[in-house]
Amino acid sequence: MTSTMELYQLLPKTNCKECGKNSCMAFAAALMARELTPDDCPPMKNDPKYKENYETVSGMFSTTEGATETGLIVHEELCFGCGNCVVACPVNVANDPYGVGSGKAPKSTGKLILIIEDGIVKAQNVDECRRFGKNKILCTGCIVTCPVEAIEFV
Amino acid sequence: MEGNYYVCTGCGLLCDDIEVELEKDAVSKVYTACRVGVAHMKEGSREAVSQVDGKPAEEAAAIEKAAEILKNAKNPLIFGLGTSTNEAQKKAIELAKKLNATLDDTSSFCLGPVVEALLQEKFNTCTLDDVRHKGDVMIFWGADPSDSHPRHLSKFSYFPRGEQKQRGWEEERTAIAIDIRKSHTAKICGSNFFQIPPGGDTEFINALIDGVSGKLPKTSYKFPPKRLLELANILKGAKFGTIFMGLGLLYSLESLDPIIKLVEVLNEKAKGEFHLIPVVGHYNMRGFNENLFAETGYVNCVKFENGEAKHGPEYSTVEALKAKAVDAALIIGSDPLASLPRSIVKNLLDIPIISIDPCETLTSRKAKVYFSTAVTGVECGGSATRMDGVEVKFDPILEAKRPTDEEILTKIMEAL
Ligand code: SF4
Ligand code: SF4
Ligand code: SF4
Ligand code: SF4
């Protein structure tokens, strides 16, 4: 995944504020948090001299095939449904401490990100994932607990 | 989704929190089970099949034939039963008594010796629920539950919250792997993976005993003493430690004494208590060991004679076949033709086989008589003993089209 700094390098760097942010750096941060999209920077989108950069940045944020909108990919052919990621995911634990948080079947699937269906992990409610949104952190709960590297973020 | 939970009999973990959806008399969707469990649970719902000489036969005729084979045998072998319910196992023991048969299960070349020592109370043990609620240090030794029992770490031994473990695995639990190769379980243990050379377990155990006793730990293969001391310190600091012992460790030991001693020493030197649980594979192998132990005082390898059980290595499946001591085989839920060495298989092929199995196997195809029976937990209920000794009862999910192992055994017994 790209860093805010790398993204910034690709922006117009004029701090024109048309995007509603105070600076291109702030815009880069908003992009990273997926609050805004590359299209929200009018100069980059419309000015031919930024065309190439615009395409690069857009490419970085287009959803990869098979990926959820937050970039989480499950390699289904690798996953064997051990449930480690399900039980280790802090969001799952917070939302269902006595079900999946305790190693058991979900008591309420409402806000869980990861569940096991037919022996394979299924990602849902991905907007709840700690790696995304305003207060994102570099959570690795589901990555380090997987014995076969079946979960990846792109 | 809360409510109707079923038990998966896919491995010795007997997960009891499985939800299913049905479609046209078959399991169509399975929640929470691992991939092994899903395959196992979708297996059920086949039509009943009985065969004699590889050809379809009426059940009654097949029973008749099976009884005849057993009656004519001087020393029949009854083998398998690791994937049968407690109820079917008890029936098989009764049948073995009546037939003066040799009776054994796969544990004789598996973790049987460890279960035997456990039942003889030679070491401290605990349940998987205890580990979930209290465990702070867990050692996977010569065991790779991530492969063999996929939900072991997520349901019990590492990741879940428990009564006294509310803050999570990163803070409150230390998982350690000792193995000759970097298994999937070892991978999860990260820097707490200790790789030892094949056959190096006994020395490693002794070095650890020295380490926790304040002596310099030494091995002939020069395992770094600093790492060994680090490990010894983790173990000494444990409040509730558990060694999960796998086949890899058992096969490397000449006797169980060193590992029993280690558990003893750890109980002396560590902050809290230490336990050992054998990582039993088949869902009810421990059940067979316990049922036979209750009846005879032995966990496997017995021969009945006028109601009395004789015990010894010569009554193990492998040795009995090698010595051509048995002259018919009743095999329940096992496929020895596929799993035993060729030289032994040869002798097995020389005697009439009766196979009772939910799946068609190499053994069932070569059998004189074959009965396809219900998958336990899917087509029939019953009870089984989890790898930690906890009894788990289960109900069927589907209405069975096939008889159970127990029913077939009962009918054979009646026909004798
Ligand atoms: S609109 Fe584009 S160029 Fe203007 S401040 Fe925002 S990011 Fe920078
Ligand atoms: S990154 Fe963290 S919060 Fe997101 S799914 Fe994985 S474990 Fe859960
Ligand atoms: S930890 Fe990996 S293998 Fe296990 S359920 Fe999650 S993605 Fe699948
Ligand atoms: S871990 Fe074993 S008992 Fe649990 S779901 Fe998987 S196969 Fe079934």
Side-chain angles (χ1 to χ4, degrees):
Chain A
M1 185 75 218
T2 355
S3 71
T4 314
M5 206 54 211
E6 272 173 72
L7 260 180
Y8 170 73
Q9 298 298 346
L10 294 165
L11 298 177
K13 293 191 261 194
T14 55
N15 299 334
C16 75
K17 302 187 187 159
E18 267 184 65
C19 58
K21 293 284 167 188
N22 272 330
S23 65
C24 294
M25 196 64 195
F27 179 77
L31 268 185
M32 282 296 280
R34 318 243 166 181
E35 282 169 28
L36 296 176
T37 70
D39 287 358
D40 292 321
C41 167
M44 180 167 69
K45 188 175 174 208
N46 303 323
D47 193 327
K49 75 176 174 204
Y50 299 123
K51 187 168 178 274
E52 217 174 289
N53 283 7
Y54 170 64
E55 277 165 10
T56 313
V57 176
S58 300
M60 289 158 79
F61 287 90
S62 72
T63 37
T64 318
E65 218 181 320
T68 59
E69 70 243 48
T70 44
L72 187 156
I73 290 186
V74 176
H75 296 288
E76 292 193 355
E77 71 291 357
L78 294 177
C79 172
F80 60 106
C82 69
N84 290 358
C85 59
V86 175
V87 180
C89 169
V91 176
N92 271 11
V93 174
N95 290 332
D96 189 15
Y98 298 105
V100 294
S102 299
K104 301 179 182 166
K107 288 208 187 298
S108 63
T109 36
K111 278 198 157 180
L112 300 178
I113 302 179
L114 303 166
I115 62 163
I116 305 287
E117 224 179 85
D118 271 339
I120 297 168
V121 74
K122 191 178 133 200
Q124 52 183 28
N125 305 316
V126 275
D127 49 329
E128 297 273 327
C129 171
R130 300 243 162 120
R131 289 171 82 93
F132 299 98
K134 266 209 182 93
N135 305 312
K136 73 189 169 80
I137 53 163
L138 201 69
C139 178
T140 56
C142 56
I143 303 171
V144 296
T145 56
C146 179
V148 291
E149 285 155 45
I151 291 186
E152 195 187 0
F153 286 91
V154 291
Chain B
M1 291 237 311
E2 198 174 351
N4 253 340
Y5 292 125
Y6 292 100
V7 173
C8 173
T9 58
C11 78
L13 220 51
L14 288 169
C15 294
D16 56 359
D17 57 352
I18 313 298
E19 287 156 291
V20 298
E21 281 171 21
L22 301 180
E23 210 175 281
K24 291 199 215 105
D25 287 346
V27 175
S28 59
K29 200 156 196 116
V30 182
Y31 294 95
T32 311
C34 72
R35 207 187 268 241
V36 179
V38 172
H40 178 74
M41 296 182 95
K42 288 189 173 175
E43 172 73 32
S45 92
R46 300 226 194 121
E47 299 295 330
V49 175
S50 353
Q51 290 174 351
V52 176
D53 289 319
K55 290 183 206 75
E58 290 290 320
E59 190 192 276
I63 295 279
E64 200 60 35
K65 183 77 195 161
E68 185 193 311
I69 292 171
L70 293 171
K71 257 192 296 194
N72 290 337
K74 280 206 191 66
N75 184 17
L77 167 71
I78 299 181
F79 171 70
L81 295 159
T83 56
S84 299
T85 58
N86 284 332
E87 294 73 25
Q89 291 173 345
K90 286 178 188 158
K91 233 342 142 227
I93 296 172
E94 215 182 303
L95 181 61
K97 257 190 176 167
K98 197 162 169 184
L99 287 167
N100 285 332
T102 299
L103 176 63
D104 190 25
D105 74 334
T106 45
S107 74
S108 59
F109 45 88
C110 193
L111 284 157
V114 185
V115 177
E116 182 171 37
L118 184 153
L119 295 175
Q120 292 165 345
E121 297 178 22
K122 289 194 177 157
F123 54 78
N124 207 13
T125 188
C126 64
T127 69
L128 290 165
D129 303 284
D130 293 336
V131 175
R132 176 166 82 83
H133 289 311
K134 300 186 266 190
D136 58 348
V137 173
M138 37 289 289
I139 309 176
F140 302 99
W141 201 326
D144 184 13
S146 288
D147 271 10
S148 58
H149 301 71
R151 293 183 69 204
H152 198 282
L153 278 72
S154 72
K155 192 164 167 56
F156 296 110
S157 57
Y158 191 24
F159 297 117
R161 313 272 159 142
E163 274 161 20
Q164 294 172 35
K165 292 283 163 252
Q166 297 282 336
R167 276 178 299 141
W169 56 283
E170 309 97 310
E171 282 181 52
E172 293 187 299
R173 302 200 205 256
T174 309
I176 296 158
I178 305 173
D179 214 323
I180 56 169
R181 66 181 178 104
K182 190 165 182 182
S183 65
H184 282 141
T185 306
K187 193 169 165 259
I188 291 170
C189 297
S191 61
N192 286 321
F193 166 46
F194 296 80
Q195 188 163 13
I196 58 174
D201 298 83
T202 307
E203 272 193 66
F204 199 83
I205 292 171
N206 291 331
L208 258 185
I209 292 175
D210 282 348
V212 293
S213 316
K215 285 184 233 154
L216 188 68
K218 277 192 233 150
T219 55
S220 67
Y221 45 85
K222 306 223 159 38
F223 198 92
K226 204 174 143 241
R227 288 266 289 147
L228 259 164
L229 282 175
E230 270 167 33
L231 177 56
N233 278 333
I234 298 176
L235 303 191
K236 273 208 296 204
K239 293 207 189 83
F240 194 97
T242 308
I243 298 175
F244 291 102
M245 175 167 182
L247 271 182
L249 174 54
L250 180 69
Y251 285 165
S252 157
L253 299 178
E254 264 163 37
S255 97
L256 287 177
D257 295 345
I259 190 77
I260 291 173
K261 171 99 184 287
L262 176 65
V263 177
E264 234 172 67
V265 171
L266 286 171
N267 271 308
E268 253 167 57
K269 307 276 180 189
K271 245 190 208 163
E273 328 155 36
F274 253 87
H275 317 85
L276 189 144
I277 301 180
V279 187
V280 170
H282 293 312
Y283 88 80
N284 204 20
M285 193 188 96
R286 175 144 176 191
F288 178 83
N289 293 150
E290 292 199 2
N291 288 325
L292 190 61
F293 188 82
E295 187 70 32
T296 66
Y298 309 110
V299 298
N300 52 28
C301 308
V302 297
K303 155 122 178 88
F304 286 100
E305 250 171 41
N306 308 321
E308 293 298 311
K310 294 196 291 181
H311 170 73
E314 66 273 32
Y315 304 122
S316 76
T317 307
V318 171
E319 294 304 325
L321 284 170
K322 217 190 257 172
K324 299 196 179 192
V326 286
D327 53 0
L330 171 61
I331 300 169
I332 304 119
S334 185
D335 188 12
L337 285 185
S339 57
L340 290 181
R342 193 182 277 260
S343 57
I344 291 158
V345 162
K346 209 170 63 357
N347 293 353
L348 181 54
L349 284 172
D350 285 345
I351 60 176
I353 298 172
I354 303 157
S355 161
I356 301 177
D357 206 301
C359 305
E360 243 186 63
T361 64
L362 199 56
T363 305
S364 77
R365 280 196 287 273
K366 296 277 181 196
K368 264 254 166 261
V369 186
Y370 167 57
F371 301 93
S372 106
T373 46
V375 174
T376 43
V378 181
E379 295 160 277
C380 71
S383 69
T385 308
R386 204 167 66 183
M387 63 162 75
D388 58 350
V390 170
E391 182 173 317
V392 180
K393 289 198 168 68
F394 41 86
D395 295 322
I397 304 173
L398 306 167
E399 217 174 296
K401 297 181 196 148
R402 305 191 275 188
T404 64
D405 297 347
E406 188 194 354
E407 282 162 6
I408 295 292
L409 289 169
T410 307
K411 284 183 186 166
I412 293 178
M413 193 136 74
E414 283 164 3
L416 282 175

